[in-house]
Amino acid sequence: MDRTTCSLLLGICLLWAACEVTSGTTGNPPSHDCPLTGRICPLNSTCKEEGDNAKCTCHAGFENQRGEATFNSEIHLSCDDINECRGSMKVQCGPNAGCTNTQGGYYCSCASGYQPQNGKERFKDQSEENCTDINECEKNSTICGPYGTCINALGDYRCTCLPGFGKSNKDHNKTCKDMDECKKTPSLCSPGAKCENTPGNYRCVCAGNTVPSTGSGAWTRDTRCIKIRCRNSTTATCASENPLQCALREIIASAEPICGSFNDQINKSKSTLQRLINASVQLVRKPAWQNTQQMSIRERQLIATDVLLGIEGAMRNLALMLPLGRTEIANDGAYVQIWKGNSTTENITIKGNSVEMTLNQQAVIGDGDEGLAMTGMFSLQDMRNLLSGGSDFRVEEESPRRPQKEKVEYQVISEVVTAFVSNERPYNLATPIRFTFKINNKEVEKSNVKCSFRKIIGNASFWSPEGCLLSDLSEGTVTCECNHLSSFAVLMALYHVESLALDIITKVGLSLSLVCLLLSIITFLFCRSLQGIRNTLHLHLCVSLFLANAIFLAGISRVDNKTACGIVAGLLHYFYLAAFCWMCLEGVELYLMVVKVFKTNAMKKRYMVLAGYGVPLAIVGISAAVRSSGYGTAKYCWLALEHGFIWSFLAPVCIIILVNAVIFIITVWKLAQKFSNINPDISEFKKIRTFTITAVAQLCLLGCTWIIGIFQFNQQTMVMSYLFTILNCLQGTFIFVLHCLMKKQVRDEYRRWFCAAVNLKTPSTYDKFSSSGAYSSSSQTRALQPTKESGM
């Protein structure tokens, strides 16, 4: 091939290439050559030659502008992609699926929020795959965030936010986020309070030493900040000498909130109130209340009143932090109920265990006060005993049914309740507050019942009816109406009708008994005809009774000095027990003398003294060591009834009386036998007289009067009171009559002493009486040798 031919061919090639480039830039598809005919087919087609003709066939998924798949190559058309997802060619992918067109093809896929049931991500039509909903809430539980709740929907999901949370419009993830209510609504809190945003909510914080009136409850538009009493973290040391007052201060201090940290303490206010009640019950049950040597009844009642006032103040302070509504706490020793609410015009009723209080709006919030309404009532069961007894009722009035000099004691017959309100001036109320008490004593008379409250003036506390009226008295209930608030109770006056007469009988009888005992002591000491063991027993019995009665007469009512009162009670305990021991020794000696064939020297004096004075000393020493506070009561210098301390006296007495009763029965039986054997010729009358006198003497000397005293202790009836008082006070007289006046040798000795005293005797008469007395003594010695000292 020559150079010219090569150049021509090269030019043709370049020209063809330029045409191809020009054709591509104008939008015509590239073509394929038909090798035999030299025809040209467009891109995405194939050439099929038949002789001199050439036809172009578009590939699958393509067609020319006429919609034809095969056309003549002479027609310059292009093969364009067929969109199977549109028009009449639209493929049926099925519900919840979409069609996607591709060059020369297409595919079906599930829409967003759906997934292929058979796992094919791409498919031809709905016959190959079914699209089902995707549960996004199960697939991702935190899809809505920590403050939202996921709710599934077809092909989608939605988030429901908790209160205080919301979704931003710019957040496509639908996550719930906290809303700042304080910025959104600046006036949420009342004046004086600061709004603080919290996750999902907000809170209003009172400034300074104030708390919201709704306490731990939700802040409302009526909530306001109220000043509260608080304390520092350290508590001051108690300087009081009384441990009860120090314990009270510790309880009150522990119930006060610490200044500056109210938000946390408000939520614990109810548990703090529970601890306050428990500590108060433990306080009023302390043994120190019963220590009459360290605390008189007036001091006890003053401290008990301070306890009520202190607990009331602490409880009223705590009530400010409680939520609205009723708060009730009860245990085995106390009951408290507090009501809080907004201003109300309705009556409010607070019910306790055995009392009901009804009051209205004016009593609760006062005149012109708006907002918080609060009232409460509490009761300590043991307070009834601490505030009962005594004559501390400050009303000068006399009942026409009783004498003016009569002693009156007031006893608390109802529950002692303390009431408080939010009104800072609950006095002189226009509408009185009604208290309905349930009482066990259903036979009380209206004239004897007083509606009273506990009042303090200076260092004295007492029951006063000022401002309180008894409105109704029915069986088992007492209704009182008071125009103020404090600690209330129902009192019943105990009119001791017999006290004046018994007081006179006691003083006169004991005075006479002391005189007779003194005469008996002188007789047993100086009467020569009565020397012997039985005379020694009688002498020490009289000495013990004389000292006991003298101490009783002089110091039984000296309760002002607690130490002296305890000493008096201890001495009475000792000498009365000593008298019983000598009575028991008389019984033992009588048993030995009568039953043991009249062996009068069977008992040694040193053993008798050791038993007569040593046994009582041991009993009193042990009793004082175990419970020294049992000596001395609030009314008398005697043994306390609490904790069974009185049985340190009653138990030995009962044992001695039982022993002497057995000895008495045996002695009477033996005496009947011996008198019948020794005096067979004595007439029946003299035999009965001797037996009767001996029996009466034994009965009086072995403590029959004290048996009556034991019944008097258990059942205080008027007849038993008079009988015990008369017999006990005249016991010295009985001893003098039985052991002195009824003995002939003693009467002769008295006659001789009397004659010598009045200077009526002469040497002859003196010798006569002396010889007569000696004769009488020797005669009786011979007649009654075994019972030398009987004198009967």
Side-chain angles (χ1 to χ4, degrees):
M1 185 177 296
D2 57 8
R3 180 176 299 175
T4 303
T5 306
C6 290
S7 299
L8 180 63
L9 292 174
L10 179 62
I12 294 171
C13 290
L14 290 175
L15 179 61
W16 180 81
C19 293
E20 288 291 335
V21 172
T22 304
S23 154
T25 56
T26 58
N28 294 323
S31 59
H32 287 174
D33 293 343
C34 297
L36 297 179
T37 60
R39 303 288 179 88
I40 298 174
C41 289
L43 188 64
N44 299 321
S45 64
T46 58
C47 179
K48 186 177 180 182
E49 295 175 314
E50 296 178 355
D52 293 336
N53 294 327
K55 291 186 178 181
C56 297
T57 303
C58 293
H59 294 165
F62 292 90
E63 64 181 2
N64 60 18
Q65 288 82 351
R66 298 176 180 176
E68 299 171 342
T70 303
F71 55 91
N72 253 328
S73 61
E74 298 175 351
I75 303 173
H76 298 287
L77 298 174
S78 61
C79 290
D80 299 325
D81 176 56
I82 301 173
N83 192 342
E84 294 87 351
C85 298
R86 292 183 179 178
S88 59
M89 298 294 295
K90 183 177 181 180
V91 180
Q92 299 299 321
C93 293
N96 306 322
C99 178
T100 302
N101 184 63
T102 61
Q103 287 293 323
Y106 72 96
Y107 64 88
C108 293
S109 61
C110 293
S112 176
Y114 294 89
Q115 61 185 356
Q117 185 176 3
N118 299 324
K120 292 183 178 181
E121 296 294 335
R122 296 183 178 185
F123 51 91
K124 290 297 182 179
D125 54 34
Q126 60 182 351
S127 63
E128 292 186 2
E129 192 60 83
N130 185 26
C131 294
T132 59
D133 176 55
I134 300 175
N135 192 334
E136 294 85 355
C137 299
E138 291 183 357
K139 189 175 182 180
N140 185 6
S141 59
T142 61
I143 193 171
C144 292
Y147 307 111
T149 302
C150 178
I151 300 176
N152 186 59
L154 290 178
D156 200 357
Y157 69 95
R158 58 189 177 91
C159 294
T160 301
C161 297
L162 299 177
F165 296 89
K167 294 174 290 185
S168 173
N169 294 329
K170 299 180 180 179
D171 186 8
H172 300 288
N173 295 327
K174 305 178 182 180
T175 304
C176 296
K177 297 181 180 180
D178 175 54
M179 295 189 301
D180 193 341
E181 294 86 353
C182 297
K183 291 183 178 180
K184 186 178 181 180
T185 310
S187 60
L188 285 174
C189 301
S190 60
K194 179 183 177 182
C195 181
E196 292 183 356
N197 186 59
T198 59
N201 204 349
Y202 72 96
R203 66 179 178 181
C204 298
V205 180
C206 292
N209 297 332
T210 59
V211 295
S213 58
T214 51
S216 59
W219 191 284
T220 66
R221 62 179 182 179
D222 297 323
T223 304
R224 55 192 177 95
C225 294
I226 300 176
K227 189 174 182 180
I228 192 173
R229 188 174 68 249
C230 61
R231 62 180 174 90
N232 298 323
S233 57
T234 58
T235 304
T237 304
C238 178
S240 176
E241 297 180 356
N242 194 304
L244 295 174
Q245 291 178 332
C246 290
L248 174 62
R249 293 184 181 181
E250 292 178 1
I251 292 173
I252 295 175
S254 63
E256 290 183 353
I258 300 176
C259 299
S261 59
F262 295 145
N263 291 333
D264 296 334
Q265 297 181 79
I266 284 177
N267 297 325
K268 301 177 182 178
S269 56
K270 186 173 182 179
S271 60
T272 304
L273 180 62
Q274 178 72 66
R275 291 196 302 270
L276 173 64
I277 295 301
N278 295 338
S280 302
V281 173
Q282 295 176 2
L283 174 62
V284 298
R285 291 180 176 177
K286 286 182 176 291
W289 292 101
Q290 310 303 330
N291 190 349
T292 56
Q293 294 183 351
Q294 300 295 331
M295 181 170 51
S296 65
I297 184 172
R298 292 183 179 179
E299 292 173 337
R300 183 190 73 189
Q301 294 185 350
L302 178 60
I303 296 176
T305 307
D306 289 338
V307 169
L308 290 177
L309 293 178
I311 300 301
E312 175 193 349
M315 197 171 295
R316 188 178 186 276
N317 198 49
L318 278 176
L320 296 174
M321 299 192 295
L322 293 173
L324 299 180
R326 292 184 184 268
T327 301
E328 183 176 350
I329 297 176
N331 56 25
D332 60 343
Y335 176 87
V336 58
Q337 185 178 128
I338 298 174
W339 179 89
K340 281 184 66 178
N342 297 323
S343 300
T344 178
T345 56
E346 299 179 357
N347 290 338
I348 303 171
T349 300
I350 301 293
K351 294 183 179 181
N353 292 329
S354 58
V355 63
E356 180 178 304
M357 178 180 68
T358 304
L359 64 170
N360 63 358
Q361 175 196 18
Q362 189 267 338
V364 175
I365 63 175
D367 296 329
D369 193 5
E370 297 179 356
L372 176 66
M374 178 183 69
T375 180
M377 181 179 68
F378 74 93
S379 172
L380 298 172
Q381 294 180 5
D382 295 271
M383 194 59 66
R384 173 176 175 176
N385 296 328
L386 298 181
L387 293 176
S388 188
S391 303
D392 62 337
F393 190 76
R394 297 290 182 90
V395 171
E396 299 297 333
E397 62 180 33
E398 296 293 340
S399 172
R401 302 178 56 185
R402 57 187 178 92
Q404 293 185 354
K405 294 184 179 181
E406 185 179 300
K407 183 180 178 181
V408 180
E409 177 182 344
Y410 289 92
Q411 179 184 8
V412 179
I413 62 174
S414 72
E415 188 176 350
V416 179
V417 296
T418 302
F420 59 90
V421 292
S422 55
N423 182 8
E424 297 182 355
R425 298 174 298 277
Y427 311 111
N428 300 322
L429 302 175
T431 303
I433 300 173
R434 174 172 294 185
F435 294 90
T436 302
F437 295 90
K438 294 180 181 179
I439 58 175
N440 295 327
N441 193 342
K442 299 181 180 180
E443 298 180 357
V444 296
E445 297 182 6
K446 192 171 184 178
S447 59
N448 294 351
V449 175
K450 305 292 182 183
C451 294
S452 311
F453 76 100
R454 202 69 192 173
K455 188 174 183 179
I456 293 182
I457 297 180
N459 292 327
S461 68
F462 51 89
W463 291 108
S464 173
E466 181 182 353
C468 294
L469 296 175
L470 176 63
S471 63
D472 183 61
L473 175 62
S474 58
E475 184 177 357
T477 60
V478 176
T479 302
C480 302
E481 292 184 353
C482 301
N483 62 359
H484 58 86
L485 283 180
S486 180
S487 297
F488 299 91
V490 178
L491 305 183
M492 183 176 70
L494 303 179
Y495 301 139
H496 300 284
V497 178
E498 73 282 8
S499 59
L500 181 61
L502 288 179
D503 186 61
I504 295 175
I505 291 174
T506 300
K507 292 180 179 180
V508 174
L510 284 180
S511 300
L512 179 61
S513 181
L514 288 175
V515 173
C516 292
L517 287 172
L518 182 61
L519 292 176
S520 300
I521 293 172
I522 295 174
T523 301
F524 296 140
L525 283 174
F526 299 106
C527 187
R528 291 176 296 177
S529 62
L530 296 179
Q531 301 304 315
I533 294 179
R534 290 189 61 75
N535 178 73
T536 302
L537 294 172
H538 297 334
L539 174 62
H540 288 285
L541 171 64
C542 292
V543 170
S544 299
L545 281 179
F546 180 84
L547 293 176
N549 290 340
I551 294 173
F552 182 92
L553 197 60
I556 190 66
S557 300
R558 307 293 182 181
V559 295
D560 295 334
N561 191 326
K562 292 184 282 293
T563 303
C565 183
I567 295 174
V568 169
L571 291 175
L572 289 176
H573 190 195
Y574 174 75
F575 284 113
Y576 275 125
L577 281 180
F580 272 101
C581 287
W582 286 107
M583 285 183 181
C584 184
L585 290 174
E586 283 191 356
V588 174
E589 172 63 19
L590 183 62
Y591 175 81
L592 295 176
M593 182 180 65
V594 176
V595 178
K596 298 298 182 180
V597 198
F598 298 91
K599 293 181 180 181
T600 58
N601 295 322
M603 297 179 63
K604 301 296 183 180
K605 286 187 177 181
R606 60 176 178 271
Y607 297 139
M608 290 190 301
V609 173
L610 181 62
Y613 292 114
V615 173
L617 183 62
I619 295 175
V620 174
I622 294 174
S623 301
V626 173
R627 185 176 292 276
S628 60
S629 60
Y631 287 102
T633 66
K635 299 179 184 179
Y636 303 108
C637 298
W638 183 232
L639 307 185
L641 300 179
E642 290 81 6
H643 306 286
F645 188 76
I646 188 66
W647 284 100
S648 63
F649 175 74
L650 290 181
V653 167
C654 292
I655 293 174
I656 292 174
I657 290 177
L658 180 61
V659 171
N660 283 342
V662 175
I663 293 176
F664 171 74
I665 295 173
I666 297 175
T667 300
V668 171
W669 176 56
K670 290 293 184 179
L671 279 176
Q673 292 180 345
K674 292 184 181 297
F675 276 128
S676 62
N677 295 331
I678 294 175
N679 301 313
D681 297 332
I682 296 178
S683 65
E684 186 70 18
F685 174 75
K686 290 185 178 181
K687 181 178 178 181
I688 296 176
R689 184 184 66 178
T690 303
F691 177 86
T692 304
I693 292 175
T694 305
V696 171
Q698 293 297 317
L699 181 64
C700 294
L701 295 179
L702 297 181
C704 264
T705 55
W706 297 98
I707 296 177
I708 298 175
I710 294 177
F711 284 105
Q712 160 65 12
F713 172 76
N714 291 328
Q715 281 186 329
Q716 282 195 339
T717 61
M718 188 177 300
V719 176
M720 296 297 289
S721 297
Y722 275 102
L723 186 60
F724 169 72
T725 302
I726 293 173
L727 292 180
N728 193 42
C729 291
L730 297 180
Q731 192 171 18
T733 307
F734 294 161
I735 293 175
F736 178 69
V737 171
L738 293 174
H739 290 288
C740 296
L741 295 183
M742 292 186 65
K743 292 186 177 181
K744 185 177 184 301
Q745 63 268 38
V746 176
R747 293 197 301 270
D748 293 340
E749 196 75 20
Y750 285 162
R751 191 180 300 111
R752 185 171 62 82
W753 290 350
F754 179 76
C755 292
V758 298
N759 216 3
L760 295 178
K761 64 183 184 305
T762 62
S764 59
T765 58
Y766 180 80
D767 294 339
K768 178 181 178 181
F769 278 109
S770 299
S771 59
S772 174
Y775 172 78
S776 176
S777 177
S778 61
S779 299
Q780 289 203 3
T781 301
R782 290 190 301 268
L784 297 173
Q785 184 67 31
T787 56
K788 177 180 177 180
E789 300 176 50
S790 65
M792 298 297 180

